[in-house]
Amino acid sequence: MPRATGPLAEALARRAVLLDGGLSNQLADQGCDLSGGMWTGRVLAERPGQVEAAHTAYVRAGAEVLITASYQVGHDPDLLERSVRVAGAAARAAAREVWVAASVGPYGALLADGSEYRGRYGLTEAELAAFHRPRIGALLAAGPDVLALETVPDVLEARALLRVLAGTGARAWLTYTVAGGRTRAGQPLAEAFALAAAAPEVIAVGVNCCDPADVLPALAAAASVTAKPLVAYPNDGSVWDAATGSWNAPAAPAPWPVEDWRAAGARLVGGCCRIGPDRIAALGPRLA
């Protein structure tokens, strides 16, 4: 896959970069069936053109980074490669620089029971590393610009992911899902973010798929232990109900103090679940 004209890390040293939004909500708006354990991966397997169309919608909204549909795919090397190829096609069609970030979802995502919002799966670091190693290998072989180690709920899983990346020369960002000033597994955020500070493979660190109100305290915690660029792509404040397979929306969505996020060090900014192209288009001018 042809790369963008310059490494994402170099861009982050100069300016803020706009991420895309939620892939699942955009695919649902396009009429796709996301039922079953594979979620967006089902659409990738059955209707890859719809995934490319969703990526293209975000390119048109101004997104500079497209996150692949590999979050819940599992270990299928063909589908993992396809996720990068499909996003790459949308990136190449843009008349400007667009990077492709290969999504590495947490172990809990494949359980399809909301475990990514709890962590503490009962597995060892070595077992989690063994789970992630072939997935990361297949994604790297497809040639993305960066890996998105995202929605990580637990410091233990972050250690496992970084263990797999160590010495590979790959580049990645690491984002936790957080609540109430801690990881979803309950660990202090400074401890969680310190792992990224010590990992040369990590080019940026922060949070995703969390309430917007949790973003600024998390960024402050990250900035206290690392000078690396920070990442923020929350959802709309909704809470996932695994039993019903639906989001419980907040009565009063929290505003996005993007300027405060930027002042705290956020350089990669976008949206996660339930944030569509319209919200990304409105976000872009606030990063200028």
Side-chain angles (χ1 to χ4, degrees):
M1 184 193 77
R3 294 176 60 86
T5 57
L8 178 59
E10 291 182 5
L12 294 177
R14 303 190 305 270
R15 60 180 180 85
V17 173
L18 181 63
L19 294 171
D20 61 6
L23 188 58
S24 58
N25 47 271
Q26 179 59 25
L27 289 172
D29 288 346
Q30 292 171 197
C32 299
D33 184 356
L34 279 73
S35 62
M38 285 182 65
W39 200 39
T40 57
R42 174 178 179 175
V43 186
L44 179 68
E46 298 175 354
R47 304 176 68 188
Q50 287 292 323
V51 177
E52 184 175 344
H55 288 315
T56 298
Y58 283 112
V59 170
R60 291 172 178 162
E64 299 174 87
V65 182
L66 300 175
I67 302 175
T68 64
S70 48
Y71 179 84
Q72 215 157 352
V73 162
H75 292 94
D76 185 325
D78 292 333
L79 272 186
L80 292 168
E81 185 276 335
R82 179 185 293 178
S83 73
V84 176
R85 176 161 42 85
V86 168
R92 287 193 302 273
R96 55 183 172 79
E97 193 167 48
V98 176
W99 291 275
V100 171
S103 173
V104 181
Y107 173 82
L110 272 76
L111 301 180
D113 63 356
S115 293
E116 66 262 52
Y117 299 113
R118 299 189 298 270
R120 300 202 180 277
Y121 315 117
L123 300 180
T124 67
E125 179 183 327
E127 288 170 330
L128 287 168
F131 168 80
H132 283 296
R133 186 169 287 109
R135 302 172 69 219
I136 287 175
L139 288 169
L140 288 176
D145 296 292
V146 66
L147 295 177
L149 311 179
E150 58 178 357
T151 326
V152 179
D154 198 319
V155 169
L156 182 68
E157 187 160 24
R159 287 198 188 101
L161 288 162
L162 297 178
R163 178 173 173 174
V164 173
L165 284 189
T168 64
R171 292 293 175 259
W173 76 65
L174 172 64
T175 49
Y176 293 93
T177 178
V178 302
R182 289 180 173 268
T183 68
R184 296 283 185 155
Q187 297 113 343
L189 292 184
E191 173 191 347
F193 293 129
L195 295 179
E201 294 81 11
V202 175
I203 64 169
V205 64
V207 294
N208 80 291
C209 211
C210 61
D211 191 303
D214 284 318
V215 170
L216 191 57
L219 294 180
S224 72
V225 294
T226 179
K228 291 182 179 182
L230 305 183
V231 190
Y233 54 115
N235 56 40
D236 69 346
S238 296
V239 177
W240 177 250
D241 185 337
T244 62
S246 61
W247 290 96
N248 295 324
W256 285 29
V258 174
E259 291 74 17
D260 293 339
W261 299 353
R262 291 275 288 107
R267 293 295 178 268
L268 273 169
V269 182
C272 201
C273 299
R274 297 170 59 85
I275 303 299
D278 56 339
R279 294 283 298 273
I280 296 303
L283 183 59
R286 300 179 67 184
L287 301 184

